[in-house]
Amino acid sequence: MDRQLVFELPNDLGCIEGAVEFVLLRCEFCEEVSRRLRFNFRVSLAEALANAMLYGNGGDPAKRVRVEVTVESSALQARITDQGSGFDPDRVPDPTAPEQLHRPCGRGIFLMRQLMDEVHYNDQGNAVTLVLRFQDTEALLREASA
Amino acid sequence: MAFQVSREGDVLVVDVDGQLIVGNRQELKTRVLEELEKGEQKFLVDFSSTGYIDSSGLGVLVSLSKKIREQGGELRLSSLNEDLRTLFELTKLDSLFRIHDSREEGLQGF
């Protein structure tokens, strides 16, 4: 895969699955992290794109979402940037709290944080960076096979 | 069509083919609510052929379960693969639904 993959998407929810598949295909060489790549990263990238389109860009079809995927020797990073004014991710309630459990929304950021090694927002709150570390996966695989 | 609806006795079974995601969740919601309005009470959503559910898909199941319960009915889930089950466990939604290993198990005692 290229060291860096950069592209923009229209603000169209129908583009998400194709974009996620495109990124995963370009990461096929990462076979040693296949499950975490195909599940953890896939879910998190799709959630980040949906949040960017629905909430960040407010569903505005004139806006776009920028995707930057970087592969390093120790990690895979994806930065998703929308054209909205941003938000404070620390104010999003825990969806697993008893009073939140019956709500139909609010699980996307939680899932990203659970499934990725790191999740960072920029100060404005309109860009999220997802980090999947390779070395931890290899350690987990060694533990699993021990 | 991502959703196939069939009947097993008095249970309406919905098979989700492929994905239940932000792009098609409304289709499932509309379909199930139509059946609820017609008087159906017992729903089983089977994920044998499902590769992926996103948080919007989880949300629509939560929403449907609530509406069905309010009408005195029940929504059960079945045949989740390991990845899908992980999503329900992480979000603690496994405590909100009756999740069965197979369609047959889900239909038993409904």
Side-chain angles (χ1 to χ4, degrees), chain A residues 13-14 16-17 21 35 38-39 42-44 46-47 50-51 54 95-97 101-105 107-108 110-111 114-115, chain B residues 19 21-23 25 51-56 58-60 62-63 66 69 82-84 86-87 89-93 95-96:
Chain A
L13 295 171
I16 291 177
E17 281 310 300
E21 287 298 331
R35 195 206 174 206
R38 298 193 178 286
F39 178 63
R42 179 198 182 98
V43 170
S44 301
E47 296 293 347
N51 280 350
L54 282 172
T96 65
L101 207 54
H102 294 266
R103 292 190 64 210
C105 55
R107 295 180 177 85
F110 174 84
L111 283 176
Q114 291 289 312
L115 296 171
Chain B
Q19 299 162 336
I21 56 176
V22 65
R25 61 180 169 165
Y52 173 51
I53 304 175
D54 69 7
S55 65
S56 295
L58 294 173
V60 84
V62 171
S63 174
K66 183 180 177 191
R69 275 202 313 275
E82 185 184 352
D83 288 345
L84 300 186
T86 297
L87 290 179
E89 289 169 356
L90 285 173
T91 54
K92 297 189 178 174
L93 290 179
S95 66
L96 217 61

Side-chain angles (χ1 to χ4, degrees), chain A residues 116-127:
Chain A
M116 300 299 290
D117 292 310
E118 296 173 29
V119 176
H120 306 291
Y121 282 86
N122 65 351
D123 289 341
Q124 186 182 332
N126 73 328

Side-chain angles (χ1 to χ4, degrees), chain A residues 119-135:
Chain A
V119 176
H120 306 291
Y121 282 86
N122 65 351
D123 289 341
Q124 186 182 332
N126 73 328
V128 62
T129 301
L130 311 172
V131 181
L132 185 76
R133 277 189 251 108
F134 295 155
Q135 56 199 38

